[in-house]
Amino acid sequence: MRSPLRLFPLNAVLFPGAVLNLHVFEERYKQLIDECIEAGEGFGVVLIREGQEAGDPGVEPHQVGSLAEIVEVTQLPFGRFYISTVGRERFRITKILSREPYLTAETEPLGEDDVDEDSLESLTEDVRGAFLEYLELIVAFSGAESNVDLPADPQSASYIVGDALQVADSMKQRLLELHSTKQRLTVELSFLRRLLPQLRKLLERRERELEARRERGDDDDESYRGDQEKFFGKYFSAN
């Protein structure tokens, strides 16, 4: 059990190794960040299960989150902060200790079930191949470059894939909570294998209809935004 951990509930899931940038403006969280900076400590990021992201003292978080290490701080007017954090180890909340001025909780580290990394080599490579094709399709649709780099380590790779997938936060939370790297990679591979054929067909359709519109001299592409957002998110971000 670790000492009481300050919690920052968000409508976001933080994976170990992932970057999370925050604009901190609410009074309670300005105090939280002030205290973390002074103590040289991180804080816990947890996905909100019930409640509002700002101004809700009764917010209920999911039980599993990740420690956020503050790596860069920019102070803004009126005591606000712009901070950059990196996800570290996962934890599970065992008891909420206080809700004022912000959530604090007793937590316990959440390790991975021991698995021989050599036994995951083939699974990791399958996920890598499917994920790289997924990123290529995102780039083909959005025109934006992808800077996602998968590490060789299976556990780290499973977290980076989970962070980069354009899926609902509930799905990301499920991936975060899985007990083993093998489980996480298996779920990610199953998801990618179901999704990729749909994305290929969508891209082929888009290319055919873009060509037809070019021939008609029609450059309006609003009719495709709904399909794109369904698979890639509103801004088609790879991060």
Side-chain angles (χ1 to χ4, degrees):
M1 184 182 299
R2 68 167 74 247
S3 59
L5 181 66
R6 302 173 184 89
L7 298 181
F8 203 140
L10 294 168
N11 290 314
V13 177
L14 177 63
F15 286 86
V19 174
L20 177 66
N21 298 318
L22 294 171
H23 174 205
V24 182
F25 57 87
E26 191 178 354
E27 288 301 324
R28 72 181 70 197
Y29 297 121
K30 290 193 295 184
Q31 179 179 338
L32 182 151
I33 298 302
D34 266 329
E35 293 176 2
C36 286
I37 293 171
E38 183 175 354
E41 298 174 349
F43 56 90
V45 170
V46 281
L47 176 66
I48 293 172
R49 183 166 54 86
E50 294 180 4
Q52 301 298 317
E53 189 170 65
D56 187 354
V59 66
E60 290 295 337
H62 284 267
Q63 296 302 297
V64 174
S66 295
L67 185 68
E69 178 187 357
I70 301 172
V71 295
E72 187 174 349
V73 178
T74 301
Q75 292 189 323
L76 302 172
F78 309 110
R80 295 174 295 124
F81 295 98
Y82 183 81
I83 64 171
S84 182
T85 72
V86 175
R88 298 307 183 195
E89 68 267 20
R90 299 180 302 157
F91 62 82
R92 184 186 302 278
I93 296 171
T94 58
K95 182 181 180 181
I96 297 293
L97 297 175
S98 175
R99 291 186 172 275
E100 295 295 343
Y102 47 74
L103 276 175
T104 59
E106 287 182 355
T107 64
E108 59 184 11
L110 190 62
E112 298 273 316
D113 290 349
D114 291 332
V115 176
D116 180 6
E117 286 193 5
D118 291 340
S119 69
L120 295 177
E121 183 177 352
S122 176
L123 177 59
T124 305
E125 286 308 307
D126 287 344
V127 172
R128 182 185 301 275
F131 180 67
L132 290 177
E133 181 178 357
Y134 175 79
L135 291 183
E136 288 175 1
L137 289 168
I138 289 177
V139 171
F141 270 100
S142 68
E145 292 298 321
S146 168
N147 58 2
V148 179
D149 185 20
L150 283 188
D153 169 57
Q155 179 178 315
S156 299
S158 76
Y159 289 138
I160 296 302
V161 170
D163 178 64
L165 287 175
Q166 298 295 307
V167 296
D169 287 333
S170 58
M171 175 65 171
K172 288 179 179 280
Q173 183 68 26
R174 177 190 172 195
L175 291 171
L176 182 71
E177 293 181 3
L178 290 174
H179 295 292
S180 74
T181 299
K182 183 176 182 179
Q183 286 179 308
R184 192 172 302 106
L185 289 170
T186 299
V187 170
E188 290 166 349
L189 182 60
S190 176
F191 173 79
L192 287 166
R193 283 178 169 171
R194 292 196 308 270
L195 182 60
L196 285 174
Q198 300 175 60
L199 300 183
R200 295 186 200 109
K201 289 179 181 179
L202 184 60
L203 182 59
E204 290 170 0
R205 173 194 158 196
R206 178 179 182 268
E207 292 303 315
R208 288 196 303 269
E209 298 192 11
L210 281 174
E211 179 61 29
R213 289 209 309 279
R214 282 192 291 267
E215 291 177 358
R216 297 194 303 267
D218 180 7
D219 294 328
D220 181 19
D221 65 354
E222 287 300 316
S223 61
Y224 303 98
R225 192 161 298 277
D227 280 339
Q228 291 174 344
E229 290 181 12
K230 176 181 176 182
F231 291 110
F232 298 112
K234 183 173 182 180
Y235 300 104
F236 317 124
S237 170
N239 296 311

